[in-house]
Amino acid sequence: MALRTSPEVGGMGHSIKRKEDPRFIRGKGTYVDDVELPGMLYLDIVRSPHAHAKIKTIDIAKAMAVPGVLAVITGQDLAKYNLHWMPTLMSDTQMVLPVEKVMYQAQEVAGVLATSRYAAADGMAAVEVEYEPLPVVVDPKKALLPGAPVLRTDKKDKKDNHIWHWEWGDKAATDRTFAEAGVTVKQDIYIPRIHVSSIETCGCVAHFDKVNDKLTVWMTTQAPHAIRTVFALVAGHVGLAEHKIRIISPDIGGGFGGKVPVYPGYVIAVAASVLTGKPVKWIEDRMENLQADSFARDYHITAELAAKKDGTLTGLRIKTLADHGYTDAAANPSKFPAGLFHVCTGSYDLKAAHVEVDGVYTNKPPGGIAYRCSFRVTEAVHTIERMVDLMAHQLGMDAAEFRMKNFVKPEQFPYRSALGWEYDSGNYGAALQKAMDRVGYAELKREQAEKRKRGELMGIGISSFTEIVGAGPSKHFDILGLKMFDSCEIRIHPTGKAIARFGTKSQGQGHETTYAQILAEELGIPAKDIQVEEGDTDTAPYGLGTYASRSTPVAGAAAAMAARKIQDKARKIAAHLLEAAPEDLVWEPGKFSVKGAPDTFKTIQDIAFAAYTNHPQGMEAGLEAVSYYDPPNLTYPFGSYIAVVDIDKGTGEVKIRRFVAVDDCGNIINPMIVEGQIHGGLTMGLAPALYEEITYDEIGNIQGGSFIDYLVPTAVETPNWETDKTCTPSPHHPLGAKGVGESATVGAPVAIANAVVDALWHLGVRHVDIPITPPKIWRLLRDKGVNE
Ligand code: MCN
Ligand code: CUN
């Protein structure tokens, strides 16, 4: 993309430094825990040691005797106001605090309110709860067997643990592709439970001002407006109306999807503040965050892929069990209980496909949030890229050549996938070719063949993923009925400086910089003169928030549209000032000049001043605009990643020697920020590929509930990422941009998994589930007789 603005203006394409960083790197950010209010109380939470148990008694006497402890809040207390249950984003129900039984280990059992954080913790430890253990259901397959204990006894008519069945696609046509196929492959794939590990845990400060009847909540949320509406809907009956609720998301230390849901802690803090009239702070500790907040993935997939003998792919069939824990609290668009999993035909031109997913209850914390992933696209990409690789190897074809043969071709865009998505634009072959050139693909293949002769284990793995971001068009996308538009409101001040407010909320992505750059591009006002604000529901226009890489596709588009409204008005003011007809003016970023007389012009700053001092009679004063943007389609960024791995035969350790990532997110606003997004995303993709997993033992004890055994990669484990890009603009986005915040996390794990299988294929290995740990590979090698 050619640059249209100077570095001083800093429009699109300039790697200007992040405006928020001077604050962050000096430790001067304001996070929730930095909020201190006079008379503030502290909340700590008693949690269950059992995965499934009746609560017989809760004895608070000893806790109340702890100096500083003011109250212990139980489910019984909340039940008086009918606040002991709350709705989830998927219209299921979730306990705020239990009355009868607990459903997973680390579930909230009671809240302890005290005058200091320490007193709250001591009080928490002194609450005595007597439990009666109940049979625990951990395995979703067993949960569906007849005779399995029914978990949701709160639901009157529920006789099993099945939540929903969902299917999509043409079953008959898909079955036909399999009946007529020359080759088919079938594979069970488990995508394990993982958890985001943001630097900042979740928390809030709730302050109910009894004088003004107004509730203000500073909270770690990615979606402040939606949360305000949910609070109003849930607590309307106790007098909390929406105009009396103000949600403020201050600086956030990483969201990654984990800060989309409403957690019981927030609600208990709000209830405590409403009851006491005092501000109440609740901040999770690291283990609470890891053990009790919503989880991601946990998909048990069986996939089948069909092709002709010549290697032309034809059909895809998938059956999946989705482990949702004890409640379906997934953060998906309402219409799609399995998120956007049905983008699983990926980058390939398939004739037909059919997907089935069944949601299941187990005694685990709620699952189904998207860990840096647009609603299950990671699961979809992992499945199709694993299957395509399997098919290529099965046919004895080169994995890159096989992909090239089956890609949706550039001339097919806009392309309607077998499962009904309309991909906006793409050039998959170009991205893969670039990655192959960069990594030296042919040379690596030769090296691999030689090493194999010597008994060394080396693998090359490809992932040519298609992402789907920017939810979404109101026709299909809503959350609890709220359409997934987003917004931007711009006010230009008389001196030509501006403030712009958005319905999204940055958690580290750099919105203060990149939104200002969009406006600089559209208006020619330097990015440094534009203040960007998000996250305060009293001031920002309504929007659905930041997740699923939707900020650029949706709110970024709103910014462009609002700026164009301003430009329209500015043209009229300029015409008035220049005594010319509006249509005789030419715009270039920052000024209007008279056609044919480029020296006769007015700058946007002149125009802004005139909007308040000398506007045309009959025109309203001021220079501001708002846009609520309903995207006509999603955006489909894509990329090709190539991982080169060496496997240590003695230890089973996988070493990533090279990793080349070619990404395409259309036109780029800030190349440095995009590069940072991809670097971070790749490391977050490495994490589940090799390290991160949460499992449970047979009685529901969490394994991996602390950083001792939940392995988050550090700089030491992280290879040198080699990044590159292609640029295929989105045809429908006003700036030609696509989202990019999650691409790398979506695309990376399966490149590594494919590389490992490639290294072991000649030994008869067809698949390895992630995380690919040394013991897993060591055992495989032992079974194949490679080591002793
Ligand atoms: N960008 C750009 N040009 C493009 C696309 C994006 O310059 N063509 C810039 C954007 O302007 C923005 C950043 O890249 O500054 C990410 O933009 P986008 O892809 O629109 O994603 P969002 O801003 O909506 O961010 C959400 C995405 C998600 S869903 C997760 S999860 C994630 C991610 O961003 N969480 C993050 N990246 C994160 N980065 C940080 N530091 N912290 C998180 O919690
Ligand atoms: Cu999908 S994790 Mo991000 O959508 O906040």
Side-chain angles (χ1 to χ4, degrees), residues 320-594:
T320 295
L321 278 191
D323 187 339
H324 280 274
Y326 94 92
T327 178
D328 185 4
N332 287 326
S334 306
K335 241 190 210 170
F336 307 113
L340 309 186
F341 188 55
H342 51 309
V343 70
C344 54
T345 57
S347 308
Y348 309 98
D349 189 15
L350 296 177
K351 296 236 151 13
H354 186 252
V355 197
E356 292 176 70
V357 185
D358 288 275
V360 186
Y361 289 129
T362 57
N363 286 117
K364 296 178 199 166
I369 61 141
Y371 170 132
R372 206 166 186 176
C373 148
S374 185
F375 315 119
R376 304 284 189 192
V377 61
T378 313
E379 289 88 324
V381 163
H382 203 97
T383 307
I384 186 68
E385 286 303 309
R386 209 51 282 295
M387 294 309 287
V388 164
D389 229 64
L390 191 58
M391 180 64 91
H393 279 82
Q394 191 69 41
L395 287 164
M397 284 177 75
D398 174 77
E401 193 188 320
F402 184 73
R403 283 178 170 81
M404 290 287 191
K405 179 180 170 73
N406 284 289
F407 278 151
V408 177
K409 303 290 178 300
E411 60 276 12
Q412 286 175 279
F413 292 92
Y415 169 81
R416 182 163 288 275
S417 80
L419 290 169
W421 297 107
E422 191 178 300
Y423 295 8
D424 58 347
S425 63
N427 191 348
Y428 303 148
L432 177 54
Q433 192 58 55
K434 198 162 198 176
M436 289 166 71
D437 295 347
R438 177 81 187 256
V439 81
Y441 189 73
E443 180 51 39
L444 285 169
K445 294 284 278 191
R446 272 193 294 278
E447 181 193 337
Q448 183 188 32
E450 274 165 31
K451 286 207 161 143
R452 201 162 276 176
K453 276 187 225 145
R454 297 202 296 268
E456 290 173 44
L457 302 174
M458 167 191 167
I460 307 162
I462 302 175
S463 161
S464 290
F465 64 92
T466 291
E467 248 269 71
I468 173 169
V469 302
S474 63
K475 221 165 40 174
H476 301 299
F477 288 86
D478 70 85
I479 285 185
L480 293 175
L482 300 168
K483 300 294 189 187
M484 295 184 77
F485 59 85
D486 228 292
S487 59
C488 167
E489 182 200 86
I490 307 170
R491 291 186 191 170
I492 317 272
H493 307 317
T495 55
K497 319 290 181 194
I499 184 162
R501 296 189 168 109
F502 293 81
T504 49
K505 174 62 208 169
S506 185
Q507 310 124 40
Q509 294 88 344
H511 290 177
E512 284 168 52
T513 309
T514 47
Y515 284 147
Q517 288 187 266
I518 293 175
L519 299 177
E521 175 81 7
E522 292 288 329
L523 296 172
I525 297 175
K528 70 170 172 34
D529 291 346
I530 300 167
Q531 176 166 344
V532 169
E533 282 186 11
E534 301 175 286
D536 182 340
T537 57
D538 264 11
T539 56
Y542 204 103
L544 272 276
T546 290
Y547 42 84
S549 302
R550 63 189 297 280
S551 303
T552 303
V554 193
M561 300 316 267
R564 288 172 196 182
K565 290 184 193 177
I566 288 198
Q567 216 195 84
D568 284 346
K569 182 166 180 182
R571 177 186 289 274
K572 291 186 189 123
I573 298 172
H576 162 74
L577 297 176
L578 293 164
E579 296 178 353
E583 52 286 4
D584 288 341
L585 299 184
V586 212
W587 169 257
E588 64 186 278
K591 63 182 174 197
F592 278 109
S593 55
V594 177

Side-chain angles (χ1 to χ4, degrees), residues 674-702:
V674 167
E675 177 87 0
Q677 286 292 311
I678 289 168
H679 273 243
L682 287 170
T683 303
M684 277 183 96
L686 166 73
L690 297 188
Y691 305 106
E692 295 180 355
E693 179 179 28
I694 303 254
T695 58
Y696 290 82
D697 72 9
E698 65 284 357
I699 55 166
N701 291 310
I702 189 167

Side-chain angles (χ1 to χ4, degrees), residues 492-494 569-570 573 577 605-616 619-624:
I492 317 272
H493 307 317
K569 182 166 180 182
I573 298 172
L577 297 176
Q605 290 79 7
D606 300 333
I607 297 166
F609 198 65
Y612 296 87
T613 58
N614 178 21
H615 59 288
M619 178 191 274
E620 284 182 19
L623 197 53
E624 49 184 81

